[in-house]
Amino acid sequence: MVGIKDIARQAGVSVSTVSNVLNNKKNVGDDTRDKILKICEELSYYPNMAGKGLKSGKPNTILFNFSDFDRSFYLKIINGISDYVNDNDFDLIICTDKSCEKYMNNSLTSGSIILDKKMKDEVLNRIAAENYPIVVLDRILENPWIKSVVVNNYEPMYELIQGVIDRGYKSFGFVGGPEETADNKERYRAFRDALAANHIEFQQKSYFAGNYREKSGYTAAKILMLSRELPDCLVCANDNMAIGAMKAFRENGLRVPKDIAVTGFDNCDLAEAMGLTTVSIPNYERGYIAARYLIENIRGQKNVETFKIEAKIIFRDSVGVTEERN
């Protein structure tokens, strides 16, 4: 297998010089750069995905990095990204977890779309540059080369809780996602603000920490039932946890919503089948918009103002009115 030392030996340069060329640094002369790139091409040193960018240094490939815990959630986002990317003659690489960082290099990809809480802010701030723009879908970062395309969580969550309160519900539990995520923080803040505006007390013992997976919602519901102090409504920070909670309640003979109401957030594929009240996020459009902004920034049309995606509330059978519970 050809390695960077082989390239350096054949070019008659140091390994660091080859590395600088591969990382598109400007401290290498044009003649030396062209010589190294030619040798790389002759020896097939580059991955195929970067092959067409060898001479130009523009691979016309973008990277989508997402958390690999619920692929069905990401499918519509990926479809939106893929459609825009293909229409604009770019290629798309999809990867998860830490393996992504090695591809976030402008000799391999032209820019990245990030939806992964494990990708640290400091890594993104270090990598983002004029010749390597990034779009993030899960946070807001103040960086001249990072565009934030995020869901407007606060208003729809507040409106959802107000709608539940207007239907007569007076006590609440909350199942949160990973506490460090911006989505969870914003949804929980809206939940607490809506209760406070209606003079409804919320005790911290009614908060259950989850991880956006179905099992964590199931576990939270089991723990809640052991307390024998069921709230009128259990609000979950996403649909997966809400669905897990509904399954646990039904397994234990509790009726949703007659014994306890449940709400989610996302409008995943199972939400309609489960009759789950939720907030619908237009995920196809979310991916499409992210890809559009990234490619525009790659092409020099700099735009890093935060873009917020609106979501809408869908009331279904998991929330009724309090008169129906008697």
Side-chain angles (χ1 to χ4, degrees), residues 70-77 115 240 266 268 283 286:
D70 179 11
R71 297 194 176 200
S72 63
F73 171 80
Y74 296 101
L75 186 57
K76 289 181 180 178
I77 296 176
L115 181 52
N240 285 337
D266 288 333
C268 72
N283 278 321
R286 188 181 182 187

Side-chain angles (χ1 to χ4, degrees), residues 139-183:
R139 70 199 84 180
I140 296 176
L141 293 177
E142 297 298 328
N143 184 298
W145 311 113
I146 297 178
K147 172 85 174 180
S148 296
V149 177
V150 294
V151 176
N152 180 13
N153 292 287
Y154 185 90
E155 280 79 5
M157 175 61 94
Y158 189 104
E159 187 180 340
L160 171 65
I161 302 307
Q162 185 62 57
V164 174
I165 293 170
D166 290 344
R167 286 164 171 76
Y169 293 86
K170 292 180 169 54
S171 62
F172 292 81
F174 189 90
V175 183
E179 294 187 359
E180 72 277 10
T181 62
D183 284 344

Side-chain angles (χ1 to χ4, degrees), residues 227-286:
S227 72
R228 297 184 180 180
E229 295 181 8
L230 285 180
D232 293 339
C233 179
L234 182 64
V235 176
C236 300
N238 82 336
D239 286 352
N240 285 337
M241 296 189 299
I243 289 168
M246 291 173 72
K247 288 180 178 179
F249 291 143
R250 289 171 178 175
E251 285 177 9
N252 286 269
L254 293 179
R255 300 162 299 173
V256 177
K258 287 194 174 183
D259 297 315
I260 184 169
V262 179
T263 70
F265 203 109
D266 288 333
N267 197 31
C268 72
D269 290 342
L270 273 178
E272 184 173 5
M274 294 288 289
L276 177 63
T277 292
T278 188
V279 175
S280 179
I281 300 172
N283 278 321
Y284 174 87
E285 292 80 1
R286 188 181 182 187

Side-chain angles (χ1 to χ4, degrees), residues 31-32 46 60 66 76 108-109 118 131 143 148 159 178 184-185 190 194 209 224 226 250 259 268 281-282 289-290 320:
D31 290 342
T32 302
Y46 282 78
N60 272 15
F66 68 100
K76 289 181 180 178
L108 300 176
T109 56
K118 294 179 183 177
N131 59 1
N143 184 298
S148 296
E159 187 180 340
N184 183 70
K185 289 177 181 178
L224 182 61
L226 290 175
R250 289 171 178 175
D259 297 315
C268 72
I281 300 172
I289 289 167

Side-chain angles (χ1 to χ4, degrees), residues 38-59:
K38 184 178 180 180
I39 292 170
C40 288
E41 187 173 19
E42 290 172 351
L43 298 181
S44 300
Y45 177 71
Y46 282 78
N48 289 336
M49 63 189 174
K52 64 184 179 183
L54 282 170
K55 294 183 179 178
S56 68
K58 297 179 180 179

